[in-house]
C-alpha cells in the first residue's frame, strides 16, 4: 500500500491560506503529508506547537467521550438509571455512597462532568487559537451539545426514564461523539497542513455515498436505542442492519476499486468493514443474550458485557464512517462546503 | 451468464435508487419522517402510563362508609396450588454489593415463582374483584409496612387500600432507592440511606399490581395491590389465604401471580358462611 505522500512529485511547504491562517506557526510538521487520523501523531517533531497540543487535547477528550458512551451503556445494561433519584446532585451531595447501581449511575455522571469540563476547555481553546471560523463554531456546537446532553440526562432521571427522552439522550451521545471526532480530525496536523487533492479522481457519487452511509448508520443507532429502551421494534433494527451492511459493502468495494492507494481512505474502509462484521456478531449476541435472560432476576454480567460492546462498537462504526466521509471530501476534489474545514488545499493535477 | 446479468441489473437498480435518495434534502426528509414515526411509535408504547404526571388525587371515598357487620360477615378461604414441573429456584447474586452479601449466610433465592411442599404456591395476591358495587369501606388507619432488609423487600407481595398509608423502612446498613412503577398512580422514586426516617406514601387509585424496584440492587422486587376495600390476602407458605369480614353476596375473586398471570372464580357467600375457593396455576410454557 502506498500512502499519499509519495505521489507528490513536487513537495512544497503548505501554502498559507489567504484570509489568515494566523494560528498556524511556522515549521509545524512540514513533512507530514499523511492525512490519516490519529496516526499522524507518530511523526517526530522536535518543536511541538500549540496547535499540536490542542489536537492532542481534543484526542484525549474524544477518548474520554468514548469511555463515557461505554459508561452510559453500562447504566442501561445494569438497570441503574434510577439508582440515584435526584439530579443535579446525587443523594443530595456530590459524592453518594458508591454501592450497587449507584456506582454505574454516579460514575457515569462523574465521567460526564469531566467530559463537559474538557469540552468547555476545548471550545475556548479553539476560540482563542483556531483560525478557521467553522472549526471554532464546531467547538461551540460541541459545548452546546454536551450541556444539552447533561440536561437530557437529568430530565430522564427526574421523569423516571421516559422512552423518548432516554432514546434522545442515547442519540445525542452519538452525535456528540461525532462532533468530538470531527474536531480531533480537523485539528490534526495532517489535516491542517492541507493535502494534494487527487484532482483527476474526484467522484461526487462516492463522496455522497459515504455521507449517506454515515447518515444511515446514525439512523440505525437511533433504531438500536429505541429497541433497547422500549424493548420493541427489533424488525426495524434488523432491516436497518441489512441496509447498513449493503451500504458499507458498496463503500468498501469502491475504495478497494478506485482508491486502494489512498491510505486515509483505504485504512478507514478497512477498519469500517472489520468493525461492521464485529458489530453484526455482537448484535446477534445481544439478541441471544436478551432472549436467554428473560427469566433472570438481575442483569447477568455476560448479557451486560455483550450489549455494552454492541453499543460501543456501534459508536465506532459510526465515527469510522464519518472519518471516511470527511477524508473523502478532503482528498477528492469537489466544490462543496467541506473544504471550509480543511486548511490550504493544494491542487496538483495527477 | 444469466446470473451475472441479473446481478449487474440489480446493482444498477440499487445504484439508481441510491442516487435518487442520496440528495441531502431527500435524506433529511427521510430522516425526519423516520424519526417522527419512531417518536409516535415510542409515545404509543407509553400510552398506558397515564396518570403518571397527573396530580395525586384524594382517595375515591365519596359516599357513606359501609360498616362491616360481624353478625353476618362471611369468610372466603382457599389454597393456591401450582401444577406442573417445579421451576428451579434462581439464586440471587449479591456480590455487586458486599454490604448485602454480608447480611446472608445462606444463599438467597428469587421469589418470583415460589412453590413449597404440596405444590403450594406462595405470593399470590387474592382479592375481591367484583361484587361490592359502589360500597365504600373504612380505610385502615394502620399503615402497611414495607421493610428493606437483607437487601430484599419484606413482604414480597402485599396489599394496601387506596389512601391507606404505606410505611417504608430501611433496616439495612446500606442505601436503597425505592421506586414503584405504577400505571394508574403517580410514579415516585426516593433514596433511603441507612437509618433514614421511614417514608410514608399513599396510592389514591386502585391498581393491580404496582411493581416496586430498587435500582441500586436490581434483584430487589416487590408488588403492591391497591384496592378500595379491605378484602384481599396473599397466599402464605402453605399456599393458603383467608379473606374475612365480607358482606354476604355474589363475588368474583381474582388471584394474581407475577409470572403466572391471573385467574378468576365466582363465589356466593351467605351470612356467616365460610366458603372455600381454590386456585390452580399451571406452569407457563414460557415464563417471561
Ligand atoms: C449495522 C449494524 C448495527 C448497528 C450499527 C447497531 C447499533 C446498535 C446500537 C447503537 C444499539 C444500542 C443503542 C443504545 O442503547 O444507545 C443497539 C441495540 C441492539 N441491537 Fe444493534 N446494531 C447493529 C446490528 C444489529 C444486529 C444484526 C442485531 C441482531 C440480531 C442487533 C441487535 C440489537 C439488540 C438486541 C439491541 C438491544 C440491546 C439491548 O437490549 O441491550 N443489532 N444496536
Ligand atoms: Cu436496594
Amino acid at each position: 500500500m502506498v500512502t499519499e505522500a509519495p505521489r507528490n512529485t513536487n513537495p512544497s511547504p503548505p501554502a498559507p491560506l489567504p484570509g489568515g491562517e494566523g494560528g498556524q506557526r511556522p515549521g509545524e510538521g512540514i513533512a507530514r503529508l499523511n492525512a490519516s487520523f490519529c496516526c499522524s501523531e507518530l511523526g517526530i517533531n522536535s518543536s511541538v506547537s500549540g496547535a499540536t497540543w490542542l489536537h492532542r487535547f481534543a484526542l484525549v477528550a474524544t477518548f474520554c467521550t468514548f469511555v463515557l458512551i461505554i459508561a452510559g451503556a453500562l447504566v442501561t445494561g445494569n438497570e441503574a438509571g434510577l439508582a440515584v433519584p435526584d439530579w443535579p446532585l446525587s443523594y443530595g451531595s456530590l459524592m453518594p455512597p458508591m454501592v450497587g447501581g449507584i456506582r454505574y449511575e454516579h460514575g457515569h455522571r462523574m465521567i460526564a462532568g469531566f467530559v463537559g469540563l474538557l469540552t468547555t476547555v476545548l471550545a475556548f481553546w479553539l476560540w482563542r487559537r483556531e483560525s478557521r471560523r467553522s472549526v471554532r463554531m464546531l467547538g461551540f456546537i460541541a459545548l452546546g451539545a454536551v450541556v444539552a446532553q447533561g440536561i437530557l440526562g437529568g430530565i430522564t432521571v427526574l421523569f423516571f426514564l421516559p422512552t423518548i427522552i432516554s432514546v434522545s439522550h442515547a442519540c445525542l451521545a452519538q452525535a456528540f461523539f461525532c462532533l468530538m471526532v470531527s474536531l480531533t480530525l480537523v485539528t490534526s496536523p495532517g489535516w491542517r497542513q492541507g493535502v494534494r487533492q487527487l484532482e483527476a479522481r474526484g467522484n461526487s457519487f462516492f463522496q455522497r455515498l459515504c455521507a449517506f452511509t454515515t447518515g444511515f448508520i446514525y439512523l440505525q443507532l437511533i433504531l438500536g436505542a429505541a429497541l433497547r429502551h422500549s424493548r420493541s421494534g427489533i424488525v426495524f433494527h434488523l432491516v436497518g442492519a441489512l441496509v447498513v451492511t449493503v451500504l458499507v459493502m458498496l463503500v468498501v468495494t469502491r475504495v478497494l476499486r478506485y482508491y486502494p492507494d489512498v491510505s486515509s481512505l483505504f485504512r478507514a474502509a478497512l477498519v469500517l468493514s472489520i468493525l461492521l462484521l464485529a458489530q453484526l456478531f455482537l448484535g446477534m449476541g445481544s439478541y441471544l443474550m436478551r432472549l436467554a435472560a428473560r427469566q433472570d432476576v438481575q442483569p447477568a454480567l455476560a448479557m451486560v458485557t455483550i450489549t455494552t460492546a454492541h453499543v460501543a462498537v456501534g459508536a465506532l462504526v459510526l465515527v469510522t464512517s464519518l472519518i471516511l466521509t470527511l477524508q473523502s471530501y478532503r482528498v477528492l476534489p469537489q466544490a462543496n462546503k467541506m473544504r471550509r474545514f480543511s486548511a490550504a488545499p493544494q491542487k496538483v493535477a495527477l | 451468464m444469466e446470473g451475472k446479468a441479473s446481478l449487474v441489473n440489480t446493482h444498477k437498480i440499487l445504484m439508481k435508487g441510491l442516487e435518487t435518495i442520496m440528495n441531502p434534502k431527500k435524506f433529511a426528509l427521510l430522516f425526519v419522517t423516520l424519526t417522527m414515526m419512531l417518536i409516535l411509535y415510542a409515545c404509543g408504547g407509553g400510552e398506558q402510563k397515564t396518570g403518571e404526571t397527573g396530580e395525586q388525587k384524594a382517595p375515591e371515598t365519596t359516599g357513606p362508609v359501609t360498616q362491616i357487620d360481624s353478625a353476618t360477615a362471611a369468610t372466603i378461604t382457599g389454597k393456591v396450588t401450582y401444577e406442573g414441573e417445579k421451576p428451579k429456584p434462581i439464586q440471587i447474586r449479591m456480590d455487586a454489593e458486599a454490604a448485602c452479601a454480608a447480611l446472608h449466610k445462606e444463599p438467597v433465592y428469587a421469589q418470583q415463582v415460589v412453590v413449597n411442599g404440596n405444590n403450594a404456591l406462595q405470593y399470590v395476591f387474592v382479592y375481591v374483584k367484583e361484587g361490592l358495587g359502589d360500597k365504600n369501606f373504612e380505610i385502615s388507619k394502620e399503615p402497611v409496612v414495607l421493610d428493606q432488609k437483607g437487601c430484599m423487600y419484606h413482604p414480597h407481595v402485599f396489599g394496601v387500600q387506596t389512601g391507606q398509608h404505606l410505611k417504608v423502612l430501611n433496616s439495612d446498613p446500606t442505601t436503597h432507592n425505592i421506586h414503584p412503577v405504577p400505571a394508574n398512580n403517580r410514579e415516585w422514586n426516593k433514596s433511603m440511606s441507612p437509618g433514614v426516617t421511614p417514608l410514608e406514601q399513599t396510592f389514591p387509585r386502585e391498581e393491580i399490581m404496582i411493581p416496586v424496584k430498587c435500582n441500586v440492587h436490581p434483584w430487589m422486587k416487590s408488588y403492591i395491590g391497591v384496592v378500595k376495600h379491605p378484602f384481599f390476602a396473599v397466599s402464605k407458605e402453605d399456599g393458603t389465604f383467608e379473606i374475612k369480614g365480607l358482606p354476604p353476596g355474589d363475588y368474583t375473586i381474582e388471584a394474581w401471580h407475577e409470572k403466572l398471570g391471573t385467574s378468576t372464580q365466582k363465589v356466593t357467600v351467605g351470612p356467616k358462611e365460610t366458603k372455600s375457593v381454590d386456585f390452580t396455576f399451571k406452569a407457563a410454557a414460557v415464563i417471561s
Side-chain angles (χ1 to χ4, degrees), chain A residues 170 220-221 224-225 227-228 231 237 244 279 283 290 307 310-311:
Chain A
Q220 169 69 347
L221 299 190
L227 167 62
R228 196 162 143 91
R231 296 256 145 272
H237 190 59
V244 166
Q279 182 66 351
R290 286 286 183 190
T307 54
H310 186 58
V311 176

Side-chain angles (χ1 to χ4, degrees), chain A residues 78-85 91 97 99-103 159-160 163-164 167 205 208-209 212 215-216 218-219 222-223 226 230 232-233 236 246-247 250 254 294-301, chain B residues 11 14-15 18-19 21-23 27 30-31 34-35 38-39 41-42 49 52 90-93 96-97 110 112 174-177 179 187-193 215-216 218-219 221 286-288:
Chain A
N78 287 293
E79 295 163 26
L82 292 172
V84 181
Y91 282 72
V99 295
I102 303 174
R103 269 184 318 209
F159 288 91
F160 321 111
T163 306
I164 190 73
V167 171
F205 178 81
R208 283 184 297 134
L209 181 65
F212 182 70
F216 213 93
Y218 189 69
L219 203 65
I222 299 180
L223 292 174
S230 73
S232 59
F236 302 112
V246 170
L247 287 172
L250 287 178
R254 248 139 245 275
R294 278 185 307 170
Q295 290 205 52
D296 285 9
V297 288
Q298 61 196 107
L301 183 66
Chain B
H11 186 256
L14 186 64
M15 284 306 160
L18 270 179
E19 186 73 79
I21 53 167
M22 257 167 38
N23 142 324
F27 184 71
L30 179 76
F31 197 87
L34 282 175
T35 314
L38 214 74
I39 290 172
Y41 184 74
K49 275 193 142 193
E52 161 194 319
I90 301 172
Q91 194 179 339
I92 291 173
R93 290 173 292 108
E97 194 181 337
Q112 51 182 9
T174 186
T175 300
H176 298 284
N177 78 290
H179 174 214
E187 194 168 347
W188 48 270
N189 181 23
K190 298 259 159 64
S191 51
M192 296 188 78
S193 308
N215 302 90
V216 181
W219 61 82
K221 276 173 197 125
V286 182
I287 301 171
S288 64

Side-chain angles (χ1 to χ4, degrees), chain A residues 76-77 170-171 174 217 220-229 231 234 237-238 240-242 244-245 276 279-287 290 303 307 310-311 314-315 317:
Chain A
T76 306
C171 298
Q174 303 282 355
I217 293 172
Q220 169 69 347
L221 299 190
I222 299 180
L223 292 174
L227 167 62
R228 196 162 143 91
H229 291 279
R231 296 256 145 272
I234 182 127
H237 190 59
L238 284 181
L242 186 71
V244 166
T245 307
L276 181 77
Q279 182 66 351
L280 292 175
F281 278 108
L282 286 171
M284 238 143 65
S286 299
Y287 178 73
R290 286 286 183 190
M303 184 276 291
T307 54
H310 186 58
V311 176
V317 169

